[in-house]
Amino acid sequence: QVSLVEFGGGLVQAGESLTLSCAASGSIFRINAMGWSRRAPGEQRELVATITSDGSTNYADSVKGRFTISRDNAKNTVYLQMNSLKPEDTAVYYCNAVILTRIQSGNYWGQGTQVTVSS
């Protein structure tokens, strides 16, 4: 059994920063790519950032230069540092990870954490 749990959401004002973290636990053999997505009210889920096992990153155009994704492989944790937050960043943020256990590989998701940016 594998689970992902996110931490760090909350209410901030525009221009402020927030850091999300997501820890994977369970019968993990290896974690490949990890990422963050978000879903704003009334919108479809949007891929925000991804990071491979060797640290290569990709970002949505809307967050480039403001958000930084990183990971700590020893802790099975992925982070999302969000700077210069805007009201349009308001969404539920979800982490995901492609995890290999001893019997299968799957893409696992966290339960989501709310980020609200006030103007």
Side-chain angles (χ1 to χ4, degrees), residues 61-81:
D61 288 342
S62 58
V63 306
K64 279 181 182 176
R66 300 188 298 122
F67 290 12
T68 302
I69 188 171
S70 62
R71 62 191 285 171
D72 184 334
N73 291 330
K75 296 181 179 180
N76 291 336
T77 298
V78 62
Y79 304 94
L80 187 67
Q81 173 69 42

Side-chain angles (χ1 to χ4, degrees), residues 70 84 119:
S70 62
S84 302
S119 58

Side-chain angles (χ1 to χ4, degrees), residues 38-103:
R38 66 188 181 186
R39 177 174 287 166
E43 303 288 336
Q44 292 190 340
R45 187 174 293 191
E46 173 192 23
L47 182 62
V48 174
T50 61
I51 184 168
T52 64
S53 56
D54 63 1
S56 298
T57 59
N58 273 294
Y59 297 92
D61 288 342
S62 58
V63 306
K64 279 181 182 176
R66 300 188 298 122
F67 290 12
T68 302
I69 188 171
S70 62
R71 62 191 285 171
D72 184 334
N73 291 330
K75 296 181 179 180
N76 291 336
T77 298
V78 62
Y79 304 94
L80 187 67
Q81 173 69 42
M82 305 184 291
N83 298 327
S84 302
L85 282 162
K86 304 175 181 179
E88 51 263 43
D89 294 318
T90 295
V92 178
Y93 284 71
Y94 301 89
C95 68
N96 77 288
V98 179
I99 295 174
L100 177 65
T101 67
R102 293 198 178 276
I103 59 173

Side-chain angles (χ1 to χ4, degrees), residues 2-22:
V2 173
S3 65
L4 276 69
V5 179
E6 296 115 336
F7 302 93
L11 172 63
V12 296
Q13 293 189 332
E16 294 184 337
S17 299
L18 203 60
T19 300
L20 306 181
S21 61
C22 171

